Amino acid sequence: AQKVTQAQTEISVVEKEDVTLDCVYETRDTTYYLFWYKQPPSGELVFLIRRNSFDEQNEISGRYSWNFQKSTSSFNFTITASQVVDSAVYFCALLPRRDSNYQLIWGAGTKLIIKP
Amino acid sequence: DAGVIQSPRHEVTEMGQEVTLRCKPISGHNSLFWYRQTMMRGLELLIYFNNNVPIDDSGMPEDRFSAKMPNASFSTLKIQPSEPRDSAVYFCASSRSGARHNEQFFGPGTRLTVL
């Protein structure tokens, strides 16, 4: 099965706390791509990161970091020193290689609420 | 650079009416995607175009839905006749061709309400 699970439906933290959003995926492919998108209250979907399955290096971009662990099929997203503007729904998505299409397999999303 | 442009941003219509949603992809992007987002089903891919040609429309729910891309800078998604269950946010996204894994850039969406 090809599937993305974001088990945390909603997370609420106080500003300046660190928070990790979990993403677990299933795929039979050895080559695949993983994505994170942010959907703020305004509704648009904002691309955050793409990772291919051969690159297990962790990525850091400012307060954002991503931990890719093939051994556990996880691609978790951490926000350090969270801010109110980080409040959004965050989606993890998988693009398997073997499938002949380009259809992203989306997780259900995690709603992140950052309280001032 | 302008991102993906969608219009209208909001549409309220009555059941049975025709609805046309519009999308202008990012200049230079050759792939265009139409998605529908609802609470029940999340994000669903409706149709994908590459170089203005529909590649896969298997996600289009039924014959009431049709999509066109007459040129590289414009696409429409039409629902005729519309039904209340079509109420959703419809997103258009575009990406560069050449690699399937190129990230998709989304427009702001059209929130459709069918009464």
Side-chain angles (χ1 to χ4, degrees):
Chain A
Q2 318 256 40
K3 185 180 173 183
V4 174
T5 301
Q6 293 181 258
Q8 303 148 311
T9 306
E10 184 174 303
I11 301 174
S12 181
V13 301
V14 176
E15 198 172 22
K16 296 182 184 169
E17 286 185 17
D18 298 348
V19 58
T20 296
L21 309 182
D22 297 334
C23 173
V24 174
Y25 61 91
E26 293 176 35
T27 180
R28 57 182 176 267
D29 292 351
T30 56
T31 302
Y32 49 88
Y33 302 88
L34 295 161
F35 300 77
W36 275 95
Y37 281 82
K38 173 182 180 180
Q39 188 173 36
S42 51
E44 73 275 23
L45 278 151
V46 179
F47 166 77
L48 295 179
I49 190 172
R50 179 189 70 216
R51 172 66 73 213
N52 80 53
S53 53
F54 293 111
D55 183 0
E56 287 194 72
Q57 278 195 343
N58 291 333
E59 175 107 5
I60 298 175
S61 176
R63 295 182 298 104
Y64 293 175
S65 62
W66 290 268
N67 184 357
F68 178 32
Q69 298 267 355
K70 283 182 81 170
S71 59
T72 55
S73 297
S74 65
F75 186 41
N76 296 339
F77 173 33
T78 297
I79 301 175
T80 303
S82 60
Q83 299 176 3
V84 172
V85 292
D86 296 327
S87 297
V89 179
Y90 290 86
F91 291 94
C92 180
L94 164 71
L95 182 66
R97 164 79 180 217
R98 188 177 307 177
D99 285 348
S100 59
N101 67 24
Y102 38 78
Q103 184 159 349
L104 285 167
I105 298 165
W106 295 86
T110 296
K111 183 175 183 180
L112 178 62
I113 300 168
I114 309 296
K115 299 177 187 173
Chain B
D1 282 341
V4 176
I5 299 171
Q6 290 187 247
S7 65
R9 293 294 307 276
H10 302 273
E11 176 82 27
V12 180
T13 191
E14 292 188 346
M15 183 173 67
Q17 296 298 306
E18 177 180 299
V19 174
T20 299
L21 311 181
R22 297 172 177 80
C23 175
K24 177 178 168 54
I26 292 172
S27 178
H29 283 192
N30 294 353
S31 297
L32 185 138
F33 307 80
W34 280 102
Y35 287 88
R36 178 172 67 179
Q37 185 179 36
T38 60
M39 289 294 292
M40 291 294 292
R41 294 201 180 93
L43 270 163
E44 302 173 276
L45 178 66
L46 301 177
I47 188 168
Y48 159 59
F49 290 88
N50 191 46
N51 291 323
N52 313 338
V53 176
I55 303 299
D56 185 352
D57 64 356
S58 59
M60 298 283 262
E62 46 198 276
D63 291 346
R64 297 184 298 105
F65 285 69
S66 63
K68 293 182 181 177
M69 192 164 185
N71 57 61
S73 59
F74 184 63
S75 176
T76 59
L77 177 67
K78 185 178 292 186
I79 308 172
Q80 166 63 17
S82 58
E83 296 182 3
R85 61 192 167 119
D86 302 330
S87 298
V89 180
Y90 290 81
F91 288 102
C92 176
S94 70
S95 71
R96 288 180 293 118
S97 255
R100 294 187 307 114
H101 58 266
N102 286 336
E103 55 270 27
Q104 298 176 22
F105 292 89
F106 284 75
T110 295
R111 182 173 295 275
L112 174 64
T113 303
V114 183
L115 303 173

